[in-house]
Amino acid sequence: MKTIAQVEAFLAKKRKASSPTVVFVSGVFNVLHPGHLRLLRFAKEQGDLLVVGVFSDRLALEPQIKVGERLEGVEALSWGDHAFVLDEPHPDAILRLRPQLVIKGKEWTDKPNVEEEALRQVGGRLLFSSGEFTFSAVDLMREEFKQRSAFAPSPDQDYLRRRGITSTRLQEAIGRFEGLTVLVVGDTIVDEYVFCDALGMSQEDPVLVVRPFSTERYVGGAAIVALHARKLGATVRFASVVGEDEAGGWVHGELSKEGIVPDLLLDGTRPTTLKQRYMAQGKKLLRVSQLRDHALSPDLVAKYDAALDGLLAGVDLVIFSDFNYGYLCDRVLARTLEKCRAAGIVTSADSQCSSQIGDLGRYAGVDLVTPTEREARITLHDRESGLVILAHRLQQQLHARNVILTLGKDGILIHHPRTSEPMDFETDSVPALNQAPKDPLGAGDALLVGSSLTLAAGQDVWTAGYVGSLCAAYEVSCVGNHPVSRQEIVRLLDGSIQ
């Protein structure tokens, strides 16, 4: 258990290096309740270092829980920088710690406060606040945000039997991911969720007024595709473009710490693409996209060309994750596809269309494309054909070896040509394996990676479609875009296939 002497020494060391604002809170903390959470959260917002004193059993009046357990509860919270056992009067502790702020609840505003004289001597002040609802709600919301909903995959057993897919076969395929080297090429996106407290309607305009109180940031776009592949066991390289800004540096750091080798072009003419989703009471209110979508300049294309042979050396699979924001311009795409064909590298692609912009036709000859129904219809200018004909027309136009058409809550449709004859093909479908998704964001990315890795591991498209569907089902079981790991997918397989 930490003592005040240890905290005193820590603060002295910090003050030699900088001038942090130290905030001090103390209490019994028998049972941590929402009032404590609000107060501590508020206190943390007021300075650089939050020090929490937990009354010793001697100082606390009839403590219900021993001090060690009370201290452990406070230490488990993310806000306090140092929690210690307080076994001396408040004024003495303040003179030793010399905080700039002491936070006490509102109920002490009109009462005598023994800390005042000691604070006057050290140049500090008292601040009375019990915090606000949002300060306790934010961590509950964060937990809900990260918590995955429990679900058991309920696959179509007829499909599995029809395609000869067994648990052993899937386990072996996923086990081979570790021996694969993957290059992911595409547009980097940073996804931000901005949590807000809804204040009500504006008196001037018929709009909702909100107050942001917390932000969660995630790697997105082609970068999350790279993270999926890494967490599923592959060795991963990543080629993309970012702005000369903080967000670009953050992406580089997030990928590097996961063992991914990022080759990021720096473009001073564009910011790192940032998509912000504003949320209140668990609902998405608004999405704001900060981006530039012009093609790479000739000098940046030349840098990519110069690095391409090194990026492709020893690669088994190249995944194109195209959001049509300019990185995968014609020159970059053509050169990469040309070299992949020459080297016999497996290729897969997803070209996402947030508007009428986007053309899967640029990915002619790849081994796998995984468009949504809408993206396929945009590419083909086809609003009327049935799904099977739509998938077949897309495969024929692209000369792709396989098409997986993603259908949201209806799962996927798999199309595979048996021979080069125009009408000699097979189709099959896998239902959505998670019938109660928490957030659809990232489902397509997870499916793309899972199915692509399975193909590169030597399995057929029917097995690839199932593994991809399982990855997508797991991805949508929580809010936000989180990489899916091999261990999680293997665990879901246990008991899900007869």
Side-chain angles (χ1 to χ4, degrees), residues 26 30 32 60 73 112 117 136 153 175 265 285 311 341 345 357 412-413:
S26 60
N30 261 320
L32 288 172
E117 176 56 28
S136 60
L265 298 175
L285 304 177
L311 289 170
R341 293 189 191 104
I345 298 171
I357 298 173
I412 62 173
L413 179 76

Side-chain angles (χ1 to χ4, degrees), residues 87-162:
D87 195 32
E88 57 188 77
H90 269 198
D92 294 345
I94 289 170
L95 291 173
R96 294 181 65 175
L97 300 178
R98 297 185 291 118
Q100 283 92 332
L101 284 171
V102 170
I103 309 295
K104 299 183 74 171
K106 280 284 189 181
E107 65 273 18
W108 290 93
T109 303
D110 298 320
K111 296 179 181 179
N113 291 280
V114 298
E115 301 89 350
E116 288 181 330
E117 176 56 28
L119 280 170
R120 187 187 63 77
Q121 293 182 43
V122 301
R125 64 188 178 92
L126 270 174
L127 183 60
F128 302 103
S129 176
S130 296
E132 301 178 40
F133 166 75
T134 55
F135 291 133
S136 60
V138 96
D139 278 86
L140 297 174
M141 197 173 288
R142 277 177 173 161
E143 284 303 310
E144 173 67 14
F145 190 71
K146 296 174 182 176
Q147 190 78 26
R148 290 192 180 272
S149 58
F151 81 99
S154 53
D156 183 341
Q157 298 294 342
D158 289 338
Y159 171 84
L160 296 170
R161 284 191 290 270
R162 187 164 61 247

Side-chain angles (χ1 to χ4, degrees), residues 188 238 240-245 247-249 251-252 264-268 270-273 327:
T188 292
F238 180 59
S240 187
V241 64
V242 294
E244 295 178 347
D245 51 24
V251 170
H252 190 286
L264 301 178
L265 298 175
L266 297 180
D267 189 347
R270 75 179 80 217
T272 302
T273 300
Y327 181 69

Side-chain angles (χ1 to χ4, degrees), residues 42 118 123 174 206 231 240 267 295 438 482:
F42 175 82
I174 295 170
K231 287 290 189 179
S240 187
D267 189 347
K438 205 168 181 181
H482 304 263

Side-chain angles (χ1 to χ4, degrees), residues 254-449:
E254 291 296 299
L255 295 176
S256 297
K257 73 183 182 184
E258 294 296 339
I260 294 172
V261 180
D263 188 277
L264 301 178
L265 298 175
L266 297 180
D267 189 347
T269 68
R270 75 179 80 217
T272 302
T273 300
L274 174 66
K275 293 185 178 180
Q276 297 170 302
R277 294 164 177 84
Y278 287 79
M279 301 185 69
Q281 299 179 4
K283 304 294 183 183
K284 292 179 185 176
L285 304 177
L286 175 68
R287 193 175 85 177
V288 178
S289 294
Q290 301 180 33
L291 59 91
R292 298 285 186 275
D293 56 4
H294 54 275
L296 291 182
S297 63
D299 62 318
L300 290 179
V301 172
K303 288 182 180 180
Y304 177 83
D305 278 346
L308 186 54
D309 286 338
L311 289 170
L312 290 175
V315 164
D316 303 290
L317 167 67
V318 172
I319 302 176
F320 298 97
S321 180
D322 188 359
F323 287 77
N324 293 286
Y325 293 153
Y327 181 69
L328 280 163
C329 58
D330 290 343
R331 171 71 176 174
V332 166
L333 181 56
R335 290 282 291 151
T336 310
L337 283 172
E338 176 187 350
K339 287 182 176 290
C340 286
R341 293 189 191 104
I345 298 171
V346 177
T347 52
S348 64
D350 185 16
S351 179
Q352 301 193 30
C353 307
S354 57
S355 63
Q356 294 298 313
I357 298 173
D359 181 10
L360 278 166
R362 301 169 66 227
Y363 293 91
V366 297
D367 294 281
L368 174 67
V369 289
T370 62
T372 64
E373 176 185 353
R374 181 174 180 274
E375 289 161 356
R377 293 191 185 281
I378 288 173
T379 296
L380 298 172
H381 307 286
D382 182 345
R383 297 183 178 182
E384 298 180 353
S385 293
L387 293 177
V388 172
I389 298 302
L390 184 71
H392 179 62
R393 286 193 60 207
L394 185 66
Q395 184 273 321
Q396 289 285 290
Q397 178 167 316
L398 270 59
H399 302 287
R401 294 188 180 181
N402 302 283
V403 172
I404 296 179
L405 203 61
T406 63
L407 307 172
K409 62 182 178 59
D410 294 322
I412 62 173
L413 179 76
I414 304 172
H415 180 283
H416 174 68
R418 283 188 290 237
T419 68
S420 59
E421 293 297 318
M423 297 305 292
D424 188 15
F425 62 85
E426 285 184 89
T427 60
D428 212 330
S429 61
V430 179
L433 301 184
N434 187 343
Q435 293 295 322
K438 205 168 181 181
D439 183 0
L441 179 68
D445 297 328
L447 181 133
L448 171 66
V449 177

Side-chain angles (χ1 to χ4, degrees), residues 55-63 65-68 70 85 87:
F55 290 172
S56 67
D57 292 338
R58 181 179 66 85
L59 286 185
L61 298 175
E62 299 182 359
I65 300 173
K66 293 295 184 182
V67 66
R70 291 186 281 118
V85 176
D87 195 32

